[in-house]
Amino acid sequence: MKASAIAHSNIALIKYWGRSLDHDPDLNIPSNDSVSMTKYGLAHDVRLQTHTTIDFSDNYEEDTANLDGAVLTGRNMDRTLRVVDPLREFARVDSRFRMMSRNDFPTQAGLASSSSGFAALAIATVNALGIDFTKEEISKYARLGSGSAARSIHGGFVYWNKGDSHETSFAQQICGPNEFDMNAVIAIVHEGKKEVTSDVGHNLAHTSPFDAVRIKRSESQAKEIKKAILDHDFTRVGEIAEENCKYMHAVMMTSTPPLFYWIPETLRLIGSIQEMRKEGLECYFTIDAGPNVHCVSRPEDTYELRKTLDEIEGVIQTIPVEPARDSQAVKKHLF
Ligand code: PMV
């Protein structure tokens, strides 16, 4: 009972930041709807995807998982089990598993490795266990590993309806990768692991006095940006995404303890993006729980944008991305 999957990471345009306090935190039910673009790296060795193989067999004495050559233990293994256990129970399988996973980009560098990681895990597990699930159903189980993974099941542009239970909190596609013209360039200014993971940060959001305002605004912005995507209104999408990103970082900076993910290079990039916009290259920034900056643009501007970002002091590397196709099961196994 072996299956493999390749899943893409995603960049949130409307952020998920904070679990709903009304539900079991392990369910990762968010406090607001969120919207993302699933991304496919245009650099040939960095596609921003995770390849995962899982095998269930009575030959295994215990569950084991390996990510990029390191054995998963503690919290990381717990999160893996949170996805696999309910599916194994659903399929009435008693066997232990062996799982192996590979990212083609650095884990925890602010490139959203958990979104592709748990999406690949959910898809591979469902296939290995022979469960006949829709993508929306798989999205619910990916969510149990990491919230943003719920969105990575689908390609293109994706809406995660927060819902109010395990059954109702899942992501749906707004439109496919070729139905809205938007690319992004990721400017990497720091490559190390982040000090406070989003997993921990989600529990702090409610301590910020601005959290309630962010939630309320995000709810209306999620609906508004969905409409803007369907209306092919790039300007509106960029404006809303940039605004929503600032709300999330305001909450991060004002929670207890405060989380400052930006470093001086992050602010320098924000300034340069505003400058480029004034000069006629229309682009907008969005930043997740880390210092690196995603800059969204029209596809025809990606080349020029990347060239400009590459020249900015402190930028280590740039990765152009386009909307990805759906994450899916693949025949190639890692073992
Ligand atoms: O899925 P998590 O727990 O890694 O949280 C993702 C949080 C952000 O990337 C900052 C925002 C988002 O919606 O992806």
Side-chain angles (χ1 to χ4, degrees):
M1 297 173 85
K2 190 193 276 193
S4 297
I6 289 185
H8 311 283
S9 59
N10 69 75
I11 175 68
L13 304 172
I14 300 300
K15 309 292 186 187
Y16 150 48
W17 192 248
R19 302 180 173 99
S20 156
L21 293 178
D22 301 332
H23 300 92
D24 175 355
D26 287 347
L27 289 178
N28 288 337
I29 309 264
S31 42
N32 59 273
D33 292 358
S34 57
V35 174
S36 58
M37 177 179 109
T38 306
K39 53 193 182 182
Y40 184 70
L42 294 170
H44 73 97
D45 53 341
V46 186
R47 298 299 188 191
L48 300 174
Q49 60 194 20
T50 305
H51 186 175
T52 296
T53 300
I54 191 162
D55 181 33
F56 292 84
S57 162
D58 290 337
N59 294 334
Y60 302 130
E61 280 176 12
E62 53 174 1
D63 295 328
T64 55
N66 184 300
L67 169 63
D68 288 335
V71 174
L72 293 189
T73 55
R75 175 79 184 145
N76 289 333
M77 186 60 184
D78 283 352
R79 291 170 83 185
T80 301
L81 289 170
R82 231 164 249 167
V83 177
V84 178
D85 274 343
L87 289 168
R88 182 159 51 182
E89 207 171 296
F90 183 88
R92 299 204 177 136
V93 168
D94 283 331
S95 317
R96 304 292 94 196
F97 67 80
R98 176 179 175 206
M99 184 279 254
M100 189 179 274
S101 195
R102 249 186 238 153
N103 289 328
D104 73 349
F105 56 97
T107 303
Q108 282 186 358
L111 293 174
S113 56
S114 67
S115 65
S116 53
F118 289 107
L121 176 66
I123 298 170
T125 305
V126 161
N127 279 277
L129 295 170
I131 304 173
D132 185 21
F133 266 177
T134 61
K135 287 184 191 297
E136 283 70 24
E137 280 166 324
I138 300 175
S139 164
K140 297 175 197 171
Y141 289 88
R143 187 197 72 239
L144 298 174
S146 115
S148 57
R151 297 186 307 241
S152 268
I153 300 297
H154 306 282
F157 296 84
V158 182
Y159 194 102
W160 174 13
N161 196 320
K162 67 179 191 291
D164 64 358
S165 63
H166 172 65
E167 284 307 319
T168 54
S169 185
F170 58 87
Q172 287 171 302
Q173 191 178 60
I174 297 172
C175 68
N178 301 321
E179 291 172 281
F180 176 55
D181 289 336
M182 190 170 92
N183 280 10
V185 177
I186 310 169
I188 312 274
V189 289
H190 181 80
E191 286 182 314
K193 286 194 176 191
K194 44 193 165 197
E195 274 168 33
V196 181
T197 62
S198 40
D199 187 38
V200 172
H202 288 302
N203 293 335
L204 302 177
H206 72 277
T207 64
S208 162
F210 303 123
D211 190 42
V213 180
R214 190 202 68 85
I215 293 171
K216 194 155 178 269
R217 287 293 292 139
S218 298
E219 281 290 290
S220 49
Q221 285 180 320
K223 289 170 187 81
E224 220 185 310
I225 207 168
K226 178 180 172 183
K227 183 174 180 306
I229 289 170
L230 291 172
D231 288 347
H232 302 279
D233 188 344
F234 170 73
T235 299
R236 201 63 203 119
V237 170
E239 284 171 354
I240 298 171
E242 199 172 281
E243 214 171 78
N244 188 267
C245 158
K246 290 182 289 183
Y247 293 162
M248 178 180 74
H249 284 272
V251 164
M252 290 164 159
M253 291 176 198
T254 51
S255 58
T256 310
L259 299 173
F260 292 94
Y261 285 109
W262 295 0
I263 57 177
E265 289 76 10
T266 313
L267 269 169
R268 186 177 300 136
L269 276 163
I270 291 174
S272 305
I273 288 164
Q274 287 168 333
E275 199 55 39
M276 276 190 261
R277 210 150 62 208
K278 268 195 219 137
E279 285 167 12
L281 203 171
E282 197 181 354
C283 58
Y284 301 86
F285 67 83
T286 185
I287 306 158
D288 275 346
N292 300 321
V293 178
H294 281 68
C295 184
V296 299
S297 73
R298 292 192 171 89
E300 60 269 30
D301 292 332
T302 312
Y303 179 78
E304 184 64 29
L305 173 63
R306 185 182 190 195
K307 229 172 61 181
T308 310
L309 290 174
D310 268 331
E311 280 160 18
I312 295 170
E313 194 189 331
V315 172
I316 301 168
Q317 190 195 352
T318 53
I319 306 170
V321 300
E322 65 180 14
R325 284 188 261 167
D326 283 1
S327 297
Q328 55 190 326
V330 293
K331 291 215 169 74
K332 191 171 170 218
H333 300 312
L334 293 175
F335 62 90

